[in-house]
């Protein structure tokens, strides 16, 4: 996603229409829990049109249902060990039960914004419509997916989950799936109960931090200016 130098304006609380009475355990008080996205007023006709998808124009994109509340498939925990964990002292996302290969886990929810109100300092900004600079920022509002860490320094075998485009009630979303088995059988067992769910943030994220992009795959979902310091989603 292309970032702008324009400072991100505060996300208006009046735009949050989602009930917050049911929140996941260990949810941070300063973050609004969402069951569906909140859309920026800065989104224009072109951006809004790109966010609306029909089954006929989705090119195989999978349809999923709206979240009813906290996801029963995952749990968030503070990272207390090992000492080498890159997000030590912060949080991660873990499987609450066995998750089969290629299965849907949850949506990545947050503040859906235009390029004009991108926050260049956000650590939670995920690209949604790259060509138009539309992203999802879960800094101040979001769901459990905001706690997904990059696999680097956690899993030698690589990520066990990935982001995929999905459709919910005709709207474009970004969702998290367990990796498929693949030709090598890499994801054959899926994700075990209690195992940390990890993705690859992509080469853009690591390039923006001076890390070796050659050590990562070619996906580039997270904004290059995002994810400072915390191992977070790509």
């Amino acid at each position: 996603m292309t970032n702008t130098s324009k400072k991100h304006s505060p996300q208006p609380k009046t735009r949050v229409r989602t009930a917050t009475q049911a929140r996941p355990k260990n949810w941070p008080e300063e973050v609004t829990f969402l069951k569906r996205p909140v859309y920026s007023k800065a989104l224009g006709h072109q951006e809004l049109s790109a966010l609306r998808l029909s089954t006929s124009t989705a090119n195989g994109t999978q349809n999923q249902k709206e979240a009813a509340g906290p996801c029963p498939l995952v749990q968030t925990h503070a990272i207390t060990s090992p000492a080498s964990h890159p997000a030590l002292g912060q949080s991660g996302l873990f499987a609450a039960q066995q998750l089969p290969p290629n299965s849907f886990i949850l949506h990545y929810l947050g503040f859906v914004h235009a390029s004009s109100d991108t926050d260049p300092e956000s650590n939670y900004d995920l690209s949604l419509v790259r060509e138009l600079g539309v992203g999802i920022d879960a800094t101040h509002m979001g769901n459990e997916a905001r706690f997904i860490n990059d696999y680097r320094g956690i899993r030698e075998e690589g990520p066990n989950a990935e982001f995929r485009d999905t459709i919910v009630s005709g709207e474009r979303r970004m969702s998290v799936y367990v990796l498929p088995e693949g030709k090598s059988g890499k994801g054959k067992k899926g994700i075990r109960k209690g195992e940390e769910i990890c993705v690859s943030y992509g080469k853009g994220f690591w390039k923006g931090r001076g890390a070796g992009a050659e050590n990562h795959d070619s996906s580039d979902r997270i904004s290059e200016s995002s994810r400072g310091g915390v191992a977070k989603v790509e």
Side-chain angles (χ1 to χ4, degrees):
M1 186 192 311
T2 301
N3 294 293
T4 65
S5 58
K6 189 172 181 178
K7 189 68 177 176
H8 180 67
S9 57
Q11 297 168 10
K13 293 183 179 179
T14 55
R15 298 289 292 172
V16 184
R17 300 175 182 175
T18 305
T20 57
Q21 62 269 27
R23 301 190 303 177
K25 186 179 179 180
N26 304 320
W27 189 257
E29 291 292 334
E30 69 277 10
V31 179
T32 301
F33 178 71
L34 298 179
K35 294 190 292 184
R36 57 189 60 87
V38 172
Y39 294 90
S40 169
K41 292 181 178 180
L43 291 166
H45 175 74
Q46 187 178 16
E47 289 94 344
L48 291 172
S49 295
L51 290 171
R52 300 188 186 101
L53 294 175
S54 65
T55 303
S56 60
T57 61
N59 296 322
T61 302
Q62 294 177 290
N63 284 273
Q64 293 293 344
K65 295 180 180 180
E66 197 78 76
C71 179
L73 303 178
V74 301
Q75 296 176 339
T76 59
H77 297 307
I79 306 296
T80 57
S81 64
S84 60
H85 197 296
L88 186 69
Q90 300 174 60
S91 297
L93 190 68
F94 296 81
Q97 61 186 61
Q98 174 72 28
L99 303 176
N102 208 35
S103 61
F104 169 79
I105 305 176
L106 76 173
H107 302 299
Y108 188 91
L109 301 179
F111 181 70
V112 180
H113 62 85
S115 61
S116 60
D117 57 353
T118 295
D119 180 0
E121 298 180 0
S122 173
N123 291 324
Y124 301 87
D125 202 4
L126 183 68
S127 179
L128 184 56
V129 185
R130 182 176 304 282
E131 60 272 21
L132 297 178
V134 177
I136 316 168
D137 192 344
T139 300
H140 303 293
M141 57 185 75
N143 66 343
E144 300 98 322
R146 74 191 296 276
F147 294 106
I148 298 178
N149 288 313
D150 183 87
Y151 75 91
R152 189 187 193 214
I154 302 173
R155 291 176 49 84
E156 292 184 0
E157 60 271 54
N160 54 17
E162 64 183 357
F163 288 108
R164 296 184 197 172
D165 292 303
T166 53
I167 303 173
V168 178
S169 302
E171 294 182 359
R172 185 194 297 261
R173 299 284 174 86
M174 193 60 63
S175 304
V176 183
Y177 283 76
V178 181
L179 282 180
E181 290 189 25
K183 294 181 180 179
S184 64
K186 200 170 185 179
K188 189 174 182 180
K189 296 181 180 179
I191 301 177
R192 300 184 305 276
K193 180 179 179 180
E195 185 177 357
E196 184 169 2
I197 301 169
C198 297
V199 297
S200 170
Y201 289 175
K203 63 181 181 180
F205 170 78
W206 298 109
K207 182 179 179 181
R209 278 153 184 74
E214 67 277 3
N215 294 327
H216 306 281
D217 63 29
S218 60
S219 63
D220 192 10
R221 283 295 184 189
I222 292 199
S223 160
E224 288 188 14
S225 71
S226 300
R227 309 296 179 195
V230 189
K232 284 282 184 289
V233 206
E234 237 276 2

